[in-house]
């Protein structure tokens, strides 16, 4: 398996774990009020096994971490804020989407 395939599997695993977590239900509830968010799934700075998930609306954003190296560790909130300008560039690479119930999926063409 190539490193790119391995990384893709880690991202998919992180999304699957997120979709089964309480934060996914939180995103689903926010979507009922705020509409569809922009979503980014990628590497967390400083960690080889943690995936950072960013879900953002125009006036609000949240970030969660999923440690794909530790199945027992829960999805944890890393940060939240009020302005997209607070996010670093990699967190604004909108490469995923959220569907009904806050369920995420990978591979969506960036907006």
């Amino acid at each position: 398996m190539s490193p790119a395939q391995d990384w893709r599997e880690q991202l998919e695993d992180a999304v699957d774990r997120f979709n089964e977590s309480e934060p996914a239900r939180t995103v689903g509830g926010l979507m009922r009020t705020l509409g569809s968010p922009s979503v980014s799934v990628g590497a967390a700075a400083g960690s080889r096994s943690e995936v950072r998930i960013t879900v953002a609306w125009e006036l609000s954003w949240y970030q969660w971490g999923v440690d794909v190296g530790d199945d027992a560790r829960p999805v944890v909130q890393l940060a939240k804020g009020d302005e997209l300008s607070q996010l670093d560039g990699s967190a604004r690479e909108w490469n995923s989407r959220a569907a009904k119930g806050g369920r995420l999926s990978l591979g969506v063409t960036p907006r």
Side-chain angles (χ1 to χ4, degrees):
M1 180 177 305
S2 74
Q5 289 172 316
D6 187 43
W7 179 239
R8 173 73 182 192
E9 285 186 12
Q10 287 182 316
L11 295 178
E12 289 171 352
D13 181 44
V15 166
D16 288 345
R17 288 185 48 204
F18 180 88
N19 287 341
E20 299 302 320
S21 71
E22 187 61 35
R25 290 181 279 288
T26 298
V27 170
L30 289 167
M31 288 175 66
R32 286 192 290 277
T33 304
L34 302 174
S36 294
S38 297
V39 180
S40 174
V41 178
S47 174
R48 295 182 61 133
S49 66
E50 189 166 83
V51 173
R52 177 178 66 183
I53 296 173
T54 305
V55 180
W57 293 266
E58 188 174 327
L59 298 174
S60 180
W61 59 266
Y62 295 81
Q63 286 183 330
W64 290 276
V66 181
D67 187 342
V68 294
D70 183 354
D71 289 340
R73 185 172 169 206
V75 175
V76 295
Q77 185 172 312
L78 301 174
K80 72 183 217 175
D82 300 321
E83 296 183 25
L84 294 179
S85 63
Q86 296 169 314
L87 295 169
D88 65 39
S90 64
R92 288 181 283 168
E93 292 179 16
W94 311 121
N95 60 1
S96 301
R97 70 181 187 94
K100 184 177 181 181
R103 294 185 60 80
L104 305 185
S105 59
L106 288 175
V108 176
T109 304
R111 296 184 209 183

